[in-house]
Amino acid sequence: MKKMILLALLILTISCFWSCTGGKTDDTTTTTAATTEKAPEKYADSKFLGKWYNAYSQDDVADFELKANGTAIYKGETEGQWTENGEEIVIEMNIDGETREMNGYFVISGDGFVARATPENQHYLDDNKGELQLEIMLTENTCIDCIKK
């Protein structure tokens, strides 16, 4: 009788253990320190990162916020994605039910001029005759010049 009770308890213990592990006996659910570390963000070193405000507006809400993980936020509400391809960025998001692709690049803006930011135009910045701005083409014919605050 004692042997039957011990055998029943042993079977009960094994079945409880088996059901708690979901039938798995290998230790695949453990994590290592390498898998729990935060992966480096895609654009962590990008010069395009940050909050960009309309250069000609007093609005306190950033027109665009570009995050290191590739997320773009327009006017504090609309979320999309951005990618960098050298000296330009491409922002993709859905605005007013329409998917838009916007290009952005650096320009140098000064008194009476706006020029693409190139090594040849660097002297405007060096001579304090202009400031670096991020120009984003909202549509084919409409752009916004943005500064960091």
Side-chain angles (χ1 to χ4, degrees):
M1 181 73 167
K2 286 184 181 180
K3 288 183 180 182
M4 289 294 257
I5 294 174
L6 285 173
L7 184 59
L9 285 174
L10 182 62
I11 291 172
L12 184 63
T13 305
I14 291 172
S15 63
C16 285
F17 176 77
W18 186 262
S19 66
C20 290
T21 61
K24 296 180 182 178
T25 57
D26 63 321
D27 194 13
T28 58
T29 58
T30 59
T31 58
T32 63
T35 59
T36 58
E37 289 179 14
K38 188 176 178 183
E41 293 189 303
K42 190 174 184 178
Y43 299 111
D45 297 327
S46 176
K47 57 191 171 197
F48 293 102
L49 282 184
K51 292 184 178 183
W52 294 92
Y53 296 82
N54 185 332
Y56 305 105
S57 172
Q58 298 300 317
D59 198 359
D60 288 337
V61 176
D63 284 84
F64 286 92
E65 181 178 357
L66 304 176
K67 297 183 177 185
N69 65 359
T71 303
I73 300 174
Y74 177 64
K75 299 277 187 184
E77 297 175 356
T78 307
E79 194 168 308
Q81 300 296 316
W82 72 282
T83 56
E84 183 176 346
N85 56 5
E87 296 300 313
E88 296 185 356
I89 61 171
V90 176
I91 303 169
E92 293 181 9
M93 60 181 50
N94 191 318
I95 299 176
D96 299 329
E98 180 184 332
T99 300
R100 291 197 190 167
E101 184 175 286
M102 300 168 269
N103 295 321
Y105 46 84
F106 283 114
V107 295
I108 300 171
S109 179
D111 190 21
F113 77 93
V114 175
R116 188 81 180 245
T118 63
E120 296 80 28
N121 293 331
Q122 186 67 32
H123 64 90
Y124 290 113
L125 295 176
D126 296 338
D127 298 338
N128 292 322
K129 293 182 180 177
E131 68 176 343
L132 191 65
Q133 296 180 352
L134 177 61
E135 186 168 279
I136 299 174
M137 299 301 296
L138 299 176
T139 67
E140 187 176 322
N141 299 317
T142 307
C143 66
I144 182 173
D145 290 333
C146 298
I147 58 172
K148 282 189 179 181
K149 287 186 180 179

